[in-house]
Amino acid sequence: MRRFLLLTIFNIVFCSVFGQTPDSNKYSIRLQSGYALSSPDGSSLSGLNSGWNTKLSLDSRIGRSENWFVGVGLDYLRTSFSNLPLSNVDADAYSLSWRTGWQTKLISDKVSAWGVVECGVAYMQSRHQYSGNRYRTNKSVPMIGAEIGVDYNFCNTMALSLSYGFTKYGNDNLRHGSFDYSSSKQLNFNPSMLSLGFKISF
């Protein structure tokens, strides 16, 4: 209860001090974190298990448009590789993406919906060494993703955000030392994420 009251007071103060008209908010920063679901068929393919995802993005409206925006995103996925010789191997995935999307108001000015498509590069590696080496991608791999979400706007500058999206990482094989990890089936790196976060506009 105390945390909720402190959050409410912070939102009121922030909105009263930094509140602006909608037309003056050209940029927005979004910080999201949440649960990452395992890759489909992860129990039978070499893929990713469930984990935790954190994402930071910076977007800018396109010209005078109130709906279209473009931006960049940084993403960190704390997960594990499945079906390696050592069973589940704790792993990290990092990505940098370029994104574009559309947002529109729903019902009232307090609620808005948005959607994003993105592409970029990612790198994955095990969190620990095994027999002196990490399981990792040989180089950066391509990634694509899509996300939809709903914002509850406390004011013109701050919103609470709920979203669902998926990311598809390139199917390059994992390496262990100087050798490819041989898999009889295609690597399956495409988790989906359910996230909660904040958006600040300025």
Side-chain angles (χ1 to χ4, degrees):
M1 183 66 178
R2 181 180 298 176
R3 290 182 180 179
F4 177 78
L5 290 174
L6 289 174
L7 181 61
T8 302
I9 292 171
F10 172 78
N11 287 328
I12 293 172
V13 172
F14 187 94
C15 292
S16 62
V17 173
F18 296 100
Q20 303 177 49
T21 62
D23 289 340
S24 65
N25 297 333
K26 180 176 177 62
Y27 302 99
S28 62
I29 295 175
R30 191 182 297 273
L31 177 63
Q32 303 161 266
S33 187
Y35 184 70
L37 289 73
S38 60
S39 301
D41 299 323
S43 60
S44 60
L45 298 176
S46 295
L48 297 177
N49 293 311
S50 58
W52 193 258
N53 182 73
T54 301
K55 186 169 190 174
L56 177 66
S57 57
L58 171 64
D59 298 314
S60 172
R61 292 189 311 181
I62 300 176
R64 296 179 179 274
S65 172
E66 295 183 7
N67 302 105
W68 284 107
F69 60 89
V70 295
V72 294
L74 290 171
D75 189 87
Y76 168 65
L77 175 61
R78 187 179 180 92
T79 182
S80 59
F81 296 126
S82 62
N83 297 319
L84 297 182
L86 298 173
S87 185
N88 296 330
V89 174
D90 290 341
D92 299 309
Y94 311 88
S95 64
L96 170 65
S97 64
W98 294 266
R99 37 192 271 139
T100 184
W102 171 270
Q103 59 185 3
T104 186
K105 295 177 183 177
L106 291 178
I107 305 173
S108 70
D109 290 343
K110 288 290 186 182
V111 182
S112 57
W114 53 274
V116 169
V117 292
E118 59 185 345
C119 64
V121 292
Y123 179 77
M124 288 176 270
Q125 69 174 14
S126 62
R127 202 166 302 128
H128 309 290
Q129 292 187 355
Y130 300 87
S131 300
N133 293 289
R134 298 178 189 267
Y135 289 95
R136 58 182 174 80
T137 51
N138 184 38
K139 56 185 178 180
S140 298
V141 297
M143 61 80 65
I144 59 172
E147 189 176 13
I148 56 173
V150 175
D151 291 342
Y152 177 80
N153 302 291
F154 295 110
C155 58
N156 293 329
T157 55
M158 178 170 280
L160 179 67
S161 183
L162 177 66
S163 65
Y164 175 80
F166 72 90
T167 302
K168 174 68 174 176
Y169 297 103
N171 281 332
D172 290 25
N173 210 341
L174 292 175
R175 293 178 66 87
H176 186 246
S178 58
F179 300 96
D180 283 340
Y181 164 67
S182 297
S183 174
S184 59
K185 295 185 178 181
Q186 189 179 45
L187 299 178
N188 191 23
F189 298 144
N190 54 330
S192 53
M193 294 87 167
L194 181 63
S195 302
L196 183 67
F198 284 97
K199 182 184 78 169
I200 297 176
S201 303
F202 56 96

